[in-house]
């Protein structure tokens, strides 16, 4: 049976043990994606065949492990279209976004400066700058969201000023799936000499991201949201910015020279990768990038949008559902079953083996804008099928029917 019109999903799904071993409609991909066996094999290869430290070992196994780790960085650089030296491995997007705020932010922001962010941010994009603003007596300025809760260029212009020093925004919202008009925002911010940080945790796994074309100053993403292992992420930074930034962690592997009262650091990216790096996960991320590229972003986007349209179409026919983002740009759909707490609904979905996310999605300020304490979020990836969508719709109907008895 042809499962869809775009990709050979049946073949792709065979790569995912979790899908093979569970009768599961997995629709929580914005939280984390599943990992294909190719990625697991790459991680296992490191542990089974190498298992040693990198950079410092003068023996064959260490050379090979170093080579695999640095090749993974090269894959990141090619994926983002940046220089090799501009790709810093971190523990994840949160870790990368904190690094920028603690290093660049704490050393460049002064009293009275303004930092632009939005209520549409994941807490990891917003809180590091709340912290900087508090410490430096700077002002956090929020782009007013429009009536659909989107960031628009028009509204961005309203808050951009000569005092703006930093713009920290999501590229794609994890709670609403909207794409921020980052190209124009970056141009406008640069006219004011402000730097732009993109939280691309929901973008890099789903769309082609070209940092040189965008001209963003920093960008962050996580490996585990794009078929890679947990515990690995990337901070992209323009080389001249990374070069002048101070490390935020100090210790092994990041130094050139250490005296009793002085130290010189390695050049980027190494001065930010203190201690034994996340070797196995970086290697796994490199393999995940190969895997995703082989499928191709064009087909990934087409497939996700096809599933999104189908889900929104089917959900729109059910009475008593509020879809918060019917014009979502991606495969992230946020909704509520009126009168039913999202966690209660999620429990019913779980009985049907449908995995979604219920909660505030680490975007509590947005929940105020939506007038909800929490939402249900379904998020698709390339291995999802129309069958998954049908199962969610069935689960929604079941939850509605069940809770209607109590209303
Ligand atoms: C938009 C966005 N930014 C940042 C993060 C934080 O990513 P991590 O938890 O991998 O550090 C997430 C995770 O959900 C996200 O969706």
């Amino acid at each position: 049976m042809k499962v869809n019109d775009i990709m050979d999903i049946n073949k792709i799904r065979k790569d995912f043990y979790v899908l093979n071993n569970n009768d599961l409609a997995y629709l929580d991909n914005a939280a984390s994606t599943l990992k294909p066996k190719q990625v697991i094999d790459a991680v296992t290869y490191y542990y089974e065949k190498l298992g040693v430290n990198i950079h410092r070992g003068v023996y064959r196994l260490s050379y090979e492990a170093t080579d695999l780790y640095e090749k993974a960085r090269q894959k990141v650089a090619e994926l983002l279209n940046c220089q090799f030296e501009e790709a810093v491995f971190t523990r994840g997007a949160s870790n990368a976004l904190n690094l920028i705020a603690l290093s660049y932010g704490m050393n460049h922001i002064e009293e009275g400066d303004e930092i632009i962010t939005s209520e549409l941010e994941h807490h990891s994009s917003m809180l590091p700058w709340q912290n900087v603003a508090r410490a430096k007596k700077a002002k956090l300025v929020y782009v007013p969201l429009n009536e659909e809760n989107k960031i628009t260029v028009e509204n961005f212009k309203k808050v951009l000023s000569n005092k703006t020093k930093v713009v920290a925004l999501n590229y794609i919202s994890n709670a609403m799936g909207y794409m921020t008009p980052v190209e124009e925002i970056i141009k406008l911010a640069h006219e004011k000499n402000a730097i732009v940080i993109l939280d691309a945790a929901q973008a890099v796994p789903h769309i082609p991201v070209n940092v040189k074309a965008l001209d963003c100053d920093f960008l962050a993403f996580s490996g585990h949201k794009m078929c890679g292992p947990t515990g690995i992420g990337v901070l992209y930074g323009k080389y001249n910015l990374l070069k002048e930034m101070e490390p935020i962690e100090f210790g092994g592997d990041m130094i050139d020279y250490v005296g009793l009262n002085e130290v010189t650091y390695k050049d980027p990216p190494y001065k930010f990768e203190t201690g034994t790096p996340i070797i196995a996960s970086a290697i796994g991320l490199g393999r995940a990038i190969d895997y995703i590229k082989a499928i191709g972003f064009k087909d990934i986007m087409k497939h996700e949008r096809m599933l999104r349209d189908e889900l929104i179409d089917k959900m729109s026919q059910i009475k008593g559902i509020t879809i918060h983002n019917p014009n979502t740009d991606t495969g992230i759909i946020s909704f509520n079953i009126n009168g039913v707490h999202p966690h209660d609904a999620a429990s019913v979905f779980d009985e049907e083996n449908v995995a979604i996310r219920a909660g505030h999605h680490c975007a509590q300020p947005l929940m105020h804008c939506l007038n909800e304490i929490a939402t249900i979020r379904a998020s698709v990836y390339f291995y999802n099928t129309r069958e998954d969508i049908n199962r969610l719709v069935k689960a929604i109907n079941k939850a509605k029917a069940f809770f209607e008895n109590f209303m």
Side-chain angles (χ1 to χ4, degrees):
M1 187 187 72
K2 207 169 176 207
V3 179
N4 74 93
D5 312 322
I6 296 159
M7 295 183 284
D8 189 349
I9 301 290
N10 277 342
K11 186 162 167 279
I12 287 174
R13 286 172 71 88
K14 289 206 174 80
D15 291 336
F16 291 84
Y17 295 116
V18 173
L19 295 176
N20 295 333
N21 298 336
N22 296 279
D23 172 30
L24 179 68
Y26 184 73
L27 293 164
D28 194 17
N29 293 287
S32 202
T33 61
L34 305 176
K35 326 310 179 201
K37 63 173 188 270
Q38 289 83 346
V39 169
I40 297 166
D41 287 349
V43 173
T44 305
Y45 178 85
Y46 164 76
Y47 282 121
E48 276 187 3
K49 307 282 186 213
L50 305 169
V52 299
N53 216 324
I54 60 170
H55 291 153
R56 285 157 292 181
V58 189
Y59 45 87
R60 190 183 55 78
L61 293 186
S62 183
Y63 291 145
E64 185 180 342
T66 303
D67 189 47
L68 288 175
Y69 179 78
E70 296 302 348
K71 274 193 177 130
R73 191 192 311 279
Q74 184 56 35
K75 287 174 191 182
V76 170
E78 282 162 22
L79 181 75
L80 299 180
N81 189 30
C82 69
Q83 295 168 40
F84 178 86
E85 295 78 12
E86 293 175 318
V88 181
F89 281 127
T90 65
R91 292 200 315 278
S94 305
N95 186 218
L97 293 165
N98 275 279
L99 196 164
I100 305 162
L102 289 174
S103 176
Y104 185 90
M106 286 297 190
N107 289 301
H108 288 82
I109 297 294
E110 291 170 3
E111 187 168 348
D113 286 346
E114 293 188 355
I115 300 161
I116 296 181
T117 186
S118 87
E119 290 158 290
L120 199 51
E121 299 313 300
H122 188 284
H123 297 159
S124 293
S125 169
M126 180 200 289
L127 293 183
W129 294 101
Q130 256 193 30
N131 183 41
V132 172
R134 240 188 329 264
K136 297 287 166 182
K137 298 193 172 65
K139 190 172 165 200
L140 262 194
V141 182
Y142 291 88
V143 185
L145 302 180
N146 77 358
E147 63 288 349
E148 282 184 285
N149 292 302
K150 286 185 177 181
I151 298 167
T152 62
V153 174
E154 205 186 357
N155 283 353
F156 177 74
K157 282 183 189 162
K158 290 181 191 159
V159 289
L160 182 66
S161 81
N162 291 332
K163 291 187 185 162
T164 309
K165 291 290 176 303
V166 164
V167 176
L169 292 174
N170 68 85
Y171 194 160
I172 291 179
S173 149
N174 69 307
M176 300 292 265
Y178 294 146
M179 280 183 74
T180 306
V182 291
E183 288 86 352
E184 272 201 73
I185 285 176
I186 291 166
K187 276 195 201 105
L188 290 165
H190 284 170
E191 282 168 20
K192 300 281 184 197
N193 294 320
I195 61 135
V196 180
I197 299 143
L198 293 183
D199 172 1
Q202 299 294 344
V204 174
H206 302 275
I207 62 169
V209 171
N210 180 335
V211 292
K212 290 291 170 235
L214 285 171
D215 198 27
C216 55
D217 300 282
F218 296 103
L219 177 142
F221 71 92
S222 289
H224 70 94
K225 293 180 196 287
M226 54 183 297
C227 295
T230 53
I232 188 79
V234 171
L235 160 65
Y236 156 76
K238 283 182 177 166
Y239 190 77
N240 60 330
L241 294 175
L242 292 177
K243 176 94 178 146
E244 57 101 15
M245 271 162 58
E246 286 290 312
I248 57 164
E249 289 181 344
F250 305 86
D253 216 20
M254 46 85 76
I255 56 88
D256 260 342
Y257 171 78
V258 175
L260 291 187
N261 291 302
E262 71 271 318
V263 56
T264 53
Y265 306 121
K266 282 184 180 160
D267 284 334
Y270 303 108
K271 72 171 168 180
F272 300 108
E273 294 179 8
T274 309
T276 298
I278 317 145
I279 307 166
S281 294
I283 293 169
L285 174 59
R287 187 64 189 87
I289 291 171
D290 291 341
Y291 187 88
I292 289 172
K293 276 176 136 179
I295 295 172
F297 283 110
K298 208 165 136 225
D299 282 352
I300 291 174
M301 291 192 309
K302 232 183 189 175
H303 180 69
E304 290 177 358
R305 285 165 193 185
M306 183 267 292
L307 295 177
R308 167 200 66 189
D309 292 347
E310 192 147 324
L311 180 56
I312 290 182
D313 184 43
K314 289 194 165 144
M315 279 174 50
S316 308
Q317 293 166 33
I318 308 173
K319 285 206 180 75
I321 302 274
T322 304
I323 305 174
H324 296 291
N325 56 346
N327 296 319
T328 174
D329 297 307
T330 60
I332 293 175
I333 294 136
S334 245
F335 64 98
N336 283 74
I337 302 175
N338 301 344
V340 179
H341 193 287
H343 284 134
D344 293 337
S347 303
V348 176
F349 295 0
D350 186 40
E351 285 170 14
E352 296 292 305
N353 289 327
V354 174
I356 48 77
R357 180 54 60 106
H360 53 64
H361 318 297
C362 299
Q364 278 189 12
L366 178 72
M367 295 300 116
H368 299 301
C369 303
L370 298 177
N371 227 355
E372 302 280 2
I373 41 167
T375 75
I376 303 166
R377 181 186 67 186
S379 50
V380 303
Y381 209 18
F382 55 79
Y383 42 68
N384 285 119
T385 61
R386 289 191 167 121
E387 174 61 17
D388 293 335
I389 298 301
N390 291 338
R391 288 176 68 174
L392 173 58
V393 171
K394 189 171 158 230
I396 293 171
N397 280 317
K398 183 177 168 186
K400 263 195 80 212
F402 179 76
F403 289 109
E404 258 160 22
N405 295 325
F406 304 97
M407 287 181 196

